[in-house]
Structure formats: structure tokens, C-alpha cells
Amino acid sequence: METDIKVEECERKGKLTLVLALAALISAFGSSFQYGYNVAVINSPAPEMQEFYTQIYEDRYGQITENLLTLLWSITVSMYPLGGFFGSLVVAPLVNKLGRKGTLLFNNIFSIVPAVMMGVSEVLRSFEIIIVARFLVGICAGLSSNVVPMYLGELSPKNFRGAIGIVPQLFITIGILTAQVFGIRSILGNKEGWTIMLGLTGIPALIELLILPFFPESPRYMLIQKGKEGTARKALQQLRGWDDVDEELSEMRIEDQSERAEGRLSVLNLLTFRSLRWQLLSVIIMNMGQQLSGVNAIYYYADSIYSSAGVREDHIQYVTVGTGAVNVFMTIAAVFIVEKSGRKLLLLIGFGICCAACVLLTIALHFQTKLDWIPYVSIVCVIIYVIGHAIGPSPIPYVITTEMFRQSSRPPAFMVAGSVHWLSNFTVGLVFPFLERGLGAYSFIIFACICLVTLIYIWVVIPETKNKTFLEISKLFAERNKVEIVGDSEFKEMRAESDEVEIKSTFL
């Protein structure tokens, strides 16, 4: 008897089933991987691509100026985050209409089509087709960066939500590393291989399109937004690995009743809804802090730092791959420690490390030409920064965004989060070259200040969400927002019954 109760209590906490693990891996590989891959894919073959741009333009119109080539290349690079912004704008209507899984399947159009376009660009002798394709694949990234965390957060039991929620970020880092490896001159980062390298982004999408339909849609979406309890129950049973899912369904029903009483939220009134004020502000601050903390600038600066440290020009690509490997390794570490250490602690440690690394990097860059050993300090600062960002600022905001909002408010919240994310990304890419030119090494002091401000906000405002249900997290923020959760009496009654079961289990 005692053994049966212990087993039941263990199961109540949720477990990592094969269906849940495969759903996470396939959706993250098919969608999140592409986000990371396309961030880095044009870095290594940039000289060959610019040579292609020059050749095509001069064949058509005559001599190309250096300024015009720079403009065309800047447009090519910036189309990706711009597409990401537009992809974020359609998150809410798509996930509400097509569902989470349905949106991911639909999103593959914005990967397969541009993959073919980029793959045939050299044959068609058109650089314009690459620019358009970069915008389309940016839409794919904008959708996937928001929908995959939402989908996996709703599939996962509360005690695995943090670890599963970091899987998308893990595959983003794997995508970056894969592009860096393929970009090595002796592999595909050369005149013959760059079009193949660009076109490979369609393969993960094709795999996802073939396999993901066999996995369940979000049970919360099916019950709360579609009213299909039977489908939701069947999906939960597949995901949890047992038949008794009544407690989770009850929690969803209470959330549904609460949201019906409060009124469904649209994207427009989300900004003025009092019960979500601090959640929305927190999402904006975290996403701005994530992108404006200097992570893209660090990668932008890395090659020049490695070069000044005495790394040979033909070896820099291998050092860059090594940095990407550190990023992947630390993100894997975050998957295993997030449920033990909590989300808030990882964010605080991560932003703290990034802040300190930016300060030290500023000092190192200032003295770089004066002391022989200082350039190696710069390399260490870059690696430390990457480690700090990988364990907190990169993966955790997606997890917390999923957890802080309930079902109907989650899609518009992700739309806001994604828009802030991609606009901030675009801003850094646009502004940093001018910052570097005007301030030089001291531009990293600005990033250090942003890290510090974000750290203080997280410390003061954001609660720990580890191992809590969506309703429990809503209750935490309701106190800060000074509002009452509608349906709170049912929520308290359900928690009391759950606590009673736990007490009985302990004594038995």
C-alpha cells in the first residue's frame, strides 16, 4: 500500500515520457535550429557572396561603388531581423487559429521556399532573390522563436517546464555552431559551397513537416480555446504516460473559467490590462536586456579580438567554432540545472557575469596595444561573456514568458515579447558599428550598464516560478498587480485537496 502511494505521488509530479521528449526534439530541431543556423550562415561566406553581388551588378549596370556594395550587404543582413519582427506580429492570430503545432507546420513554408530560392540564386544570377529569401526565413525565425517555447511550455508538466523550455535555445546554439562548422573554408564556406550552405536550412523544416503531425497538439489549447476535452485528455495521457489526468484537466478548467469571467484578451487591450501590468513590463525588460546586453556585439567584435591576440587569420574560424561549442555546452548545462537552481537565480548570475565581462573587456581593449598579454585577457572575457549569457539571459526569458501568462493572454504576450526581441536585435545591428566607431572599446560600458539595470529589475520584481502551475504564478503576480484572480476560491479548494493528498501520502 505504501509503495503504491509513493509511486502515485511520484507520477503526480510528472515525468519525461518518450512522446514529450520526441515532441521537444523534433519541434526544436525543425524550427529553433533554423533560427540559430540563419543567424550565422552568411558570416563565413560573406567575401564570396559579396564577390557574387559585385559580379552580377557589374554585368548588368557597370562599375559598383564600395558604398553601394556595403549598402546591399547591410540590407541582406538586416532583412533577417526585419523578417523576424514581422513574424512576431502574426504569432497571436496564427496560434489562435491554427494551434501551436499547426502554426509550426505552417511556418515551414517560410523555410522551405527561401531555402530553394537561396539554393538557386547563383544559377539564376540574382542577388535580389537572396535578399527576399532572407526576409522570408526571418519570418520563419520570428514565428519559431515564439511558438516553439509556447508549444513546449504547454506540453510539459510543471516540474519539467524549465528544462524543456530551454531546449529551443539549445537548438538555436546548435544551429549557430552547425553554421560555423559548415562555414569553414575547407567545407562549405567557399566559392563552390556557399549556395549549398544557404539552402540546407530547408532540410530541418522538411523533417519537421513529415514527423511533427504524429505528435499531439497542446492540450491547453484544445481544452481552453477549442473546448475539445476528449482530445485534450487523450493528448495529456500520451504526454504524461498514464491515464489519470483529471487533476491537470481541473486546473485547466479553472483557468478557463477565470479567463472567461475576466474577458478574453486581444493584443490591443493587453497593454492596458491591470492584472497583467507587471508581467508585460517584465517580458519587455527581459527581452530588451537579452538583446541590448551586447551579445550580438560580442560576436561582431570577436574576430577582431582574436586577430589582435595574435590568432592567425586562417585559424580565427576554428576559434569562433570553439566559442560556439562553449555556448552549446553551457546551454546544455542550463537544461540540467534550471529545475534545481530556479529561473531567477540563473538570470541574476547570467546578467551579473555578462556585466562583469563587459567591464573587464573594456579595460582589456583599452590596454590591448600596450601590454603583450592583454589580448589573451580579451579572449577570456569573450568566452566568460558567452558562458554567462548561455546559462541565463539567452534561454530563461522564453521559459518565464510562457509561465507568466495564462492561455488567452499568452499569444499576444509572445507577440509583444517577440517584437521587442527582434526590434532590439535590429537596433544593435544598426547602431553598434557607429558606437564602435565613436566610442571604441568604451561602447561595452553601455552594455554593462544595461546588464546591471536588467539584473536589478529581475532581483526586485520577478518571482521564482520554478515548479509552480500557471495559476500559482498568476496568483503571485496578482498580489503585485493588486488585483484578485477571478475563480480564486476554486483554485484554493483544488490546492487544498492536493495538499491533503500529499500530507496523507507522507504519513502513510
Side-chain angles (χ1 to χ4, degrees), residues 308-341:
S308 64
V311 179
R312 283 174 48 186
E313 191 69 30
D314 56 339
H315 289 174
I316 287 177
Q317 57 185 333
Y318 300 106
V319 179
T320 302
V321 168
T323 306
V326 169
N327 196 7
V328 172
F329 177 78
M330 293 311 301
T331 307
I332 292 172
V335 171
F336 290 100
I337 64 177
V338 65
E339 295 299 351
K340 293 183 178 179
S341 61

Coordinates of all heavy atoms in Angstrom, one line a residue, residues 308-341:
S308 N 43.7 40.5 -32.9 CA 44.7 41.3 -32.2 C 45.4 40.5 -31.1 O 46.5 40.9 -30.7 CB 44.0 42.5 -31.5 OG 43.1 42.0 -30.5
A309 N 44.9 39.3 -30.7 CA 45.5 38.4 -29.8 C 46.6 37.6 -30.4 O 47.3 36.8 -29.8 CB 44.5 37.5 -29.1
G310 N 46.7 37.7 -31.7 CA 47.8 37.0 -32.4 C 47.3 35.7 -33.1 O 48.1 35.0 -33.6
V311 N 46.0 35.5 -33.1 CA 45.5 34.3 -33.7 C 45.6 34.5 -35.2 O 45.2 35.5 -35.8 CB 44.0 34.0 -33.3 CG1 43.5 32.8 -34.1 CG2 43.9 33.9 -31.8
R312 N 46.1 33.5 -35.9 CA 46.3 33.6 -37.4 C 45.0 33.8 -38.1 O 44.0 33.2 -37.6 CB 47.1 32.4 -37.9 CG 48.6 32.5 -37.6 CD 49.2 31.2 -38.1 NE 48.8 30.8 -39.4 CZ 49.2 29.6 -40.0 NH1 50.0 28.8 -39.3 NH2 48.8 29.3 -41.2
E313 N 44.9 34.5 -39.2 CA 43.7 34.8 -39.9 C 43.0 33.5 -40.3 O 41.8 33.4 -40.2 CB 44.0 35.6 -41.1 CG 42.8 36.2 -41.8 CD 42.1 37.3 -41.0 OE1 42.8 38.0 -40.2 OE2 40.9 37.4 -41.1
D314 N 43.7 32.5 -40.8 CA 43.1 31.3 -41.2 C 42.7 30.4 -40.0 O 42.0 29.3 -40.2 CB 44.0 30.5 -42.2 CG 45.4 30.2 -41.6 OD1 45.8 30.9 -40.6 OD2 46.1 29.3 -42.0
H315 N 43.1 30.7 -38.8 CA 42.7 29.9 -37.6 C 41.5 30.6 -36.9 O 41.0 29.9 -36.0 CB 43.9 29.8 -36.7 CG 45.0 28.9 -37.2 ND1 46.2 28.7 -36.6 CD2 45.0 28.1 -38.3 CE1 46.9 27.9 -37.3 NE2 46.2 27.5 -38.4
I316 N 41.2 31.8 -37.2 CA 40.1 32.5 -36.4 C 38.8 31.8 -36.6 O 38.1 31.7 -35.6 CB 40.0 34.0 -36.9 CG1 41.2 34.8 -36.4 CG2 38.7 34.6 -36.4 CD1 41.2 36.2 -36.9
Q317 N 38.6 31.2 -37.7 CA 37.3 30.5 -37.9 C 37.2 29.3 -37.0 O 36.1 28.9 -36.5 CB 37.2 30.0 -39.4 CG 38.4 29.1 -39.9 CD 38.3 28.8 -41.3 OE1 37.2 28.7 -41.9 NE2 39.4 28.5 -42.0
Y318 N 38.3 28.6 -36.7 CA 38.3 27.5 -35.7 C 38.1 28.0 -34.3 O 37.4 27.3 -33.5 CB 39.6 26.7 -35.9 CG 39.8 26.1 -37.2 CD1 40.8 26.7 -38.1 CD2 39.1 25.1 -37.7 CE1 41.0 26.2 -39.4 CE2 39.3 24.6 -39.0 CZ 40.2 25.1 -39.8 OH 40.4 24.7 -41.1
V319 N 38.7 29.1 -34.0 CA 38.4 29.7 -32.6 C 37.0 30.1 -32.5 O 36.4 29.9 -31.4 CB 39.4 30.9 -32.4 CG1 39.1 31.5 -31.0 CG2 40.8 30.5 -32.5
T320 N 36.4 30.6 -33.5 CA 35.0 31.0 -33.5 C 34.1 29.8 -33.3 O 33.1 29.8 -32.5 CB 34.6 31.7 -34.8 OG1 35.4 32.9 -35.0 CG2 33.2 32.2 -34.8
V321 N 34.4 28.7 -34.0 CA 33.7 27.4 -33.8 C 33.9 27.0 -32.3 O 32.9 26.5 -31.7 CB 34.2 26.3 -34.7 CG1 33.7 25.0 -34.3 CG2 33.8 26.7 -36.2
G322 N 35.0 27.1 -31.7 CA 35.3 26.7 -30.3 C 34.4 27.6 -29.4 O 33.8 27.0 -28.4
T323 N 34.2 28.9 -29.7 CA 33.3 29.7 -28.9 C 31.9 29.2 -29.0 O 31.2 29.2 -28.0 CB 33.4 31.2 -29.4 OG1 34.8 31.6 -29.3 CG2 32.6 32.1 -28.5
G324 N 31.5 28.9 -30.2 CA 30.1 28.3 -30.4 C 29.9 27.0 -29.7 O 28.8 26.8 -29.1
A325 N 31.0 26.2 -29.6 CA 30.9 24.9 -28.8 C 30.7 25.2 -27.4 O 29.9 24.5 -26.7 CB 32.1 24.1 -29.1
V326 N 31.4 26.2 -26.8 CA 31.2 26.6 -25.4 C 29.8 27.0 -25.2 O 29.2 26.7 -24.1 CB 32.2 27.7 -25.0 CG1 31.9 28.3 -23.7 CG2 33.6 27.2 -25.1
N327 N 29.2 27.8 -26.1 CA 27.8 28.3 -26.0 C 26.9 27.1 -25.9 O 26.0 27.1 -25.1 CB 27.5 29.1 -27.2 CG 26.3 30.0 -27.0 OD1 25.7 30.0 -26.0 ND2 25.8 30.6 -28.1
V328 N 27.1 26.1 -26.8 CA 26.2 24.9 -26.7 C 26.4 24.1 -25.4 O 25.4 23.7 -24.8 CB 26.6 23.9 -27.9 CG1 25.8 22.6 -27.8 CG2 26.2 24.6 -29.2
F329 N 27.6 23.9 -25.0 CA 27.9 23.2 -23.8 C 27.2 23.8 -22.5 O 26.6 23.1 -21.7 CB 29.4 23.1 -23.5 CG 29.8 22.4 -22.2 CD1 29.7 21.0 -22.1 CD2 30.1 23.1 -21.1 CE1 30.0 20.4 -21.0 CE2 30.5 22.5 -19.9 CZ 30.4 21.1 -19.9
M330 N 27.3 25.2 -22.4 CA 26.7 25.8 -21.3 C 25.2 25.9 -21.3 O 24.5 25.8 -20.3 CB 27.3 27.3 -21.2 CG 28.8 27.4 -20.9 SD 29.3 26.4 -19.4 CE 28.2 27.0 -18.1
T331 N 24.6 25.9 -22.5 CA 23.2 25.8 -22.7 C 22.7 24.4 -22.2 O 21.6 24.3 -21.6 CB 22.7 26.1 -24.1 OG1 23.3 27.4 -24.5 CG2 21.2 26.2 -24.2
I332 N 23.4 23.4 -22.6 CA 23.1 22.0 -22.1 C 23.2 22.0 -20.6 O 22.3 21.4 -20.0 CB 24.1 21.0 -22.7 CG1 23.9 20.9 -24.2 CG2 23.9 19.6 -22.1 CD1 24.9 20.0 -24.9
A333 N 24.2 22.6 -20.0 CA 24.3 22.6 -18.5 C 23.1 23.3 -17.9 O 22.5 22.9 -16.9 CB 25.6 23.4 -18.1
A334 N 22.6 24.4 -18.6 CA 21.4 25.1 -18.1 C 20.1 24.2 -18.1 O 19.3 24.3 -17.2 CB 21.1 26.4 -18.9
V335 N 20.0 23.3 -19.1 CA 18.9 22.4 -19.1 C 18.8 21.5 -17.9 O 17.8 21.3 -17.3 CB 19.0 21.5 -20.4 CG1 17.9 20.4 -20.3 CG2 18.8 22.3 -21.7
F336 N 20.0 21.1 -17.4 CA 20.1 20.2 -16.3 C 20.0 20.9 -14.9 O 19.6 20.3 -13.9 CB 21.3 19.3 -16.3 CG 21.3 18.3 -17.4 CD1 21.9 18.6 -18.6 CD2 20.6 17.1 -17.3 CE1 21.9 17.6 -19.7 CE2 20.5 16.2 -18.3 CZ 21.2 16.5 -19.5
I337 N 20.3 22.2 -14.9 CA 20.3 22.9 -13.5 C 19.1 23.8 -13.3 O 18.9 24.2 -12.2 CB 21.6 23.7 -13.3 CG1 21.8 24.8 -14.4 CG2 22.8 22.7 -13.4 CD1 23.0 25.7 -14.2
V338 N 18.3 24.1 -14.4 CA 17.3 25.1 -14.2 C 16.2 24.7 -13.2 O 15.7 25.5 -12.5 CB 16.7 25.4 -15.6 CG1 15.9 24.2 -16.2 CG2 15.7 26.6 -15.5
E339 N 15.9 23.4 -13.1 CA 14.8 22.9 -12.2 C 15.4 22.8 -10.8 O 14.6 22.8 -9.8 CB 14.3 21.6 -12.7 CG 13.6 21.6 -14.0 CD 12.3 22.5 -14.0 OE1 11.9 23.0 -13.0 OE2 11.8 22.7 -15.1
K340 N 16.7 22.8 -10.6 CA 17.2 22.8 -9.3 C 17.5 24.2 -8.8 O 17.2 24.5 -7.6 CB 18.5 21.9 -9.2 CG 18.2 20.4 -9.5 CD 19.5 19.6 -9.4 CE 19.2 18.1 -9.6 NZ 20.4 17.3 -9.5
S341 N 18.2 25.0 -9.6 CA 18.6 26.3 -9.2 C 17.4 27.3 -9.3 O 17.4 28.4 -8.6 CB 19.8 26.8 -10.0 OG 19.5 26.8 -11.4

